[in-house]
Amino acid sequence: MRTIEVTVYSAVQPTERVDRVVLAIENIFPGLIMDIRTDRIDAYNGPRSLIRLHRLLRSQKILDAARSVLQGGIRGNVIQFQLSKQAAYMGMVSFPPQEEPLGSLHIQVLATEGERIIDWLAPVTENGVAVEEIDLFEGGMEEDV
């Protein structure tokens, strides 16, 4: 049985509004269950919360960059990476090279088949086009979101 758990964490700086940090997370990962505090947001859910990220990587044409970041973040059964909080607030995906001054969104994907998740999110490309798209969800679950 495949296990996929998505966790997103973000600090909320004193100069930030909590609702805007929540919106940044929801813009990329809709449907997360959130524990919202004034200084920190912890959110989690299953694989469906990755569907918008999957679509954004294609619409922004950043599959190669995403694949590199995701592969570099593999630690056993966990894929870890960061996204720009400011870009996420605008509904865009951006992988900062390091922690941003106001903090980044920290994402962790626990997956028994991590390479398959990466192949689904950011497949190998040729001339910027995915060589092969795989279906992570049996029964077309991607279309539901």
Side-chain angles (χ1 to χ4, degrees):
M1 179 176 170
R2 275 189 280 179
T3 299
I4 302 170
E5 296 174 12
V6 179
T7 305
V8 178
Y9 154 79
S10 180
V12 179
Q13 302 301 324
T15 57
E16 292 180 301
R17 289 181 34 190
V18 173
D19 62 323
R20 290 187 178 186
V21 178
V22 167
L23 182 59
I25 294 169
E26 288 179 338
N27 280 344
I28 309 298
F29 304 99
L32 293 176
I33 298 163
M34 294 194 191
D35 176 14
I36 302 169
R37 291 176 265 169
T38 57
D39 64 339
R40 174 185 173 117
I41 298 171
D42 292 295
Y44 64 93
N45 209 335
R48 290 178 58 104
S49 56
L50 294 171
I51 293 172
R52 185 166 297 151
L53 175 63
H54 176 271
R55 290 181 181 158
L56 288 169
L57 295 176
R58 282 149 185 76
S59 67
Q60 289 182 229
K61 301 181 189 315
I62 57 171
L63 292 175
D64 291 332
R67 185 172 184 85
S68 176
V69 168
L70 295 174
Q71 286 182 322
I74 294 177
R75 307 286 183 269
N77 285 344
V78 175
I79 304 166
Q80 298 175 326
F81 60 100
Q82 295 178 39
L83 293 178
S84 166
K85 194 186 313 182
Q86 290 78 20
Y89 180 72
M90 300 305 294
M92 303 294 289
V93 174
S94 177
F95 300 98
Q98 60 196 25
E99 182 74 14
E100 298 172 294
L102 289 177
S104 303
L105 300 180
H106 296 263
I107 296 85
Q108 177 175 294
V109 180
L110 172 64
T112 53
E113 299 177 16
E115 286 294 333
R116 182 167 169 80
I117 297 292
I118 293 172
D119 288 342
W120 174 71
L121 279 172
V124 173
T125 65
E126 189 172 298
N127 297 322
V129 177
V131 173
E132 178 185 9
E133 291 280 4
I134 64 169
D135 183 9
L136 186 64
F137 306 100
E138 288 94 33
M141 201 156 117
E142 290 177 59
E143 299 303 317
D144 295 343
V145 174

